[in-house]
Amino acid sequence: MQFPLFAGKSVAFLILSREGEVKVTSNRCRFTVCVQQLQVKFNYLPALAQMSLCSQEDSCFPQQSKSQINLPVIGQYVDYLISKQNVKNVFVNGTTGEGLSLNIQERKQLAEEWVCQGKDKLDHVIVHVGALSLPESQELARHAAAIGASGIAVIAPFLFKPTNKDELIAFLQKVASEAPAVPFYYYHIPPLTGVKIRVEELLDGIKERIPTFQGVKFSDRDLLDFAQCIHKHEREQLAFLYGVDEQLLSALAIGAHGAVGSTYNYLGRKTNLMLEAFAKPDLALARKYQFLTGDFLNFVIKLGFGVAQTKAVMTLVSGIPMGPPRLPLVDASEEFIVKAKAKLDSIVWPDSD
């Protein structure tokens, strides 16, 4: 029984059934993809047949400087995720990747490069296309479809917020309709957006409004809401991907189909071992991995842990220069880097020699 991380493998696979070509040319890659015109079909993999982990590039977007993204490093990043972390899926331009701190052109360039460099290597590249501006989000959705992204995800707008389910679905539907052949995911992260519409409520009738709706990236600690989503929709071919890394084992017990997280950039292999233990089932061993991951996160959170610090840890572990964050975020301190490295080095994992 296999449990790859969504830094690993996705639950749904798009089957293209009609012809039509869209060509997009960047300065590094040429994309030619078939676009399905009418119907999207999915091959559903039950949670206990395959669990998928996805690394958030949205957890580490590399920059050469505070004003320039660093595209050439992405090929190395892809190879590192696969060879060192056993992770074969990425979530691009999300929160930790500072997607909303980028302009549209930068987001398109990063999406193109991840799709290009991941070709025949990564299983899935899901591109976050959410924005405060509906036309910008629609443009990014069209672009993601044209370059052959495996899926798109959208965060709730969070300056002028939707106040109820119907308002949020109306926004999501307008974006999803611009990529009618691409699986669509709602990115639920109320701690950052302040949009606290329960996903259980949101899902009621959503397939009728958004035919390509495929699931949720659920980045909230409300496991009751998460459990109700899975319980009420277990007969449907939806993917519920959990996004709070330190609670993943709890989400697995409820029935999570996958996980999207920043720690899978540098603890992906350890998390995969936890997933394997859970599948056996060897819950005692799975708990050991979860407790040790939690121990590290508890330590760095007390030091002050955010996007900048995640990039610093990723640079430490991978040797790939993640670069600085964009203002208003500031670099991790040298003190943080020293203490985080010492903590990581001190952990004795169950699979250690």
Side-chain angles (χ1 to χ4, degrees):
M1 194 173 292
Q2 184 182 11
F3 288 80
L5 290 178
F6 198 104
K9 299 184 179 177
S10 177
V11 193
F13 297 84
L14 176 63
I15 300 173
L16 299 172
S17 62
R18 290 178 62 87
E19 294 183 354
E21 284 193 347
V22 176
K23 293 185 178 180
V24 177
T25 302
S26 72
N27 60 345
R28 296 177 63 81
C29 305
R30 179 178 297 275
F31 304 92
T32 302
V33 296
C34 293
V35 178
Q36 179 185 357
Q37 309 254 326
L38 294 179
Q39 185 181 14
V40 178
K41 300 180 180 179
F42 301 98
N43 175 26
Y44 180 65
L45 301 179
L48 292 184
Q50 185 172 20
M51 165 69 192
S52 71
L53 275 185
C54 180
S55 165
Q56 299 193 79
E57 172 278 343
D58 108 326
S59 64
C60 299
F61 110 75
Q63 293 177 298
Q64 291 176 330
S65 69
K66 286 184 171 60
S67 60
Q68 183 179 6
I69 57 175
N70 184 7
L71 296 177
V73 80
I74 292 175
Q76 182 184 358
Y77 196 161
V78 169
D79 292 340
Y80 158 81
L81 285 175
I82 296 169
S83 64
K84 300 298 184 183
Q85 299 301 334
N86 192 26
V87 165
K88 296 181 181 178
N89 300 296
V90 293
F91 188 93
V92 177
N93 287 337
T95 302
T96 320
E98 301 173 75
L100 290 168
S101 293
L102 304 175
N103 63 41
I104 285 186
Q105 187 57 35
E106 289 172 324
R107 291 178 72 171
K108 288 181 178 180
Q109 289 174 334
L110 281 166
E112 288 174 12
E113 194 69 11
W114 276 99
V115 170
C116 174
Q117 296 297 334
K119 183 176 174 58
D120 299 325
K121 293 182 179 180
L122 295 173
D123 291 334
H124 297 281
V125 178
I126 294 180
V127 178
H128 173 242
V129 301
L132 297 183
S133 161
L134 176 58
E136 288 184 2
S137 191
Q138 291 174 313
E139 181 178 342
L140 289 168
R142 291 192 295 270
H143 176 264
I147 64 174
S150 311
I152 58 173
V154 172
I155 198 171
F158 53 85
L159 181 59
F160 300 114
K161 299 180 179 68
T163 60
N164 57 53
K165 164 190 169 179
D166 289 338
E167 291 175 1
L168 178 54
I169 290 180
F171 182 90
L172 300 178
Q173 190 276 331
K174 288 290 187 181
V175 180
S177 65
E178 297 297 317
V182 182
F184 180 88
Y185 297 82
Y186 170 52
Y187 181 7
H188 180 62
I189 184 166
L192 289 184
T193 63
V195 177
K196 299 180 180 179
I197 299 166
R198 289 176 62 81
V199 180
E200 172 197 1
E201 177 186 358
L202 182 74
L203 295 184
D204 185 22
I206 196 168
K207 289 283 282 187
E208 297 172 5
R209 299 280 300 278
I210 305 175
T212 55
F213 184 81
Q214 180 58 22
V216 179
K217 178 180 183 278
F218 193 101
S219 296
D220 189 28
R221 290 179 170 82
D222 188 349
L223 288 173
L224 174 59
D225 188 18
F226 189 65
Q228 289 299 299
C229 292
I230 294 172
H231 175 62
K232 291 186 175 182
H233 298 275
E234 59 187 354
R235 293 180 179 275
E236 300 176 45
Q237 296 182 1
L238 298 180
F240 293 100
L241 310 174
Y242 197 61
V244 182
D245 303 6
E246 60 270 28
Q247 292 186 179
L248 176 55
L249 188 57
S250 300
L252 289 176
I254 291 170
H257 303 132
V260 183
S262 59
T263 64
Y264 311 142
N265 282 282
Y266 52 90
L267 293 177
R269 188 168 294 277
K270 302 303 182 185
T271 307
N272 270 308
L273 291 172
M274 182 187 82
L275 297 176
E276 291 174 9
F278 177 79
K280 285 182 179 179
D282 185 342
L283 297 184
L285 179 58
R287 281 196 297 268
K288 288 181 181 179
Y289 281 103
Q290 184 71 94
F291 288 157
L292 289 171
T293 296
D295 187 40
F296 172 72
L297 290 173
N298 189 49
F299 177 82
V300 293
I301 286 170
K302 290 177 180 178
L303 296 177
F305 191 62
V307 171
Q309 290 73 25
T310 297
K311 292 160 81 77
V313 172
M314 175 59 175
T315 298
L316 269 177
V317 175
S318 69
I320 303 171
M322 291 293 107
R326 264 195 186 157
L327 290 170
L329 302 180
V330 297
D331 290 343
S333 67
E334 188 61 34
E335 179 185 8
F336 171 87
I337 294 171
V338 170
K339 289 182 176 180
K341 182 179 188 303
K343 182 62 177 177
L344 267 180
D345 292 344
S346 73
I347 297 176
V348 180
W349 298 95
D351 58 302
S352 300
D353 293 330

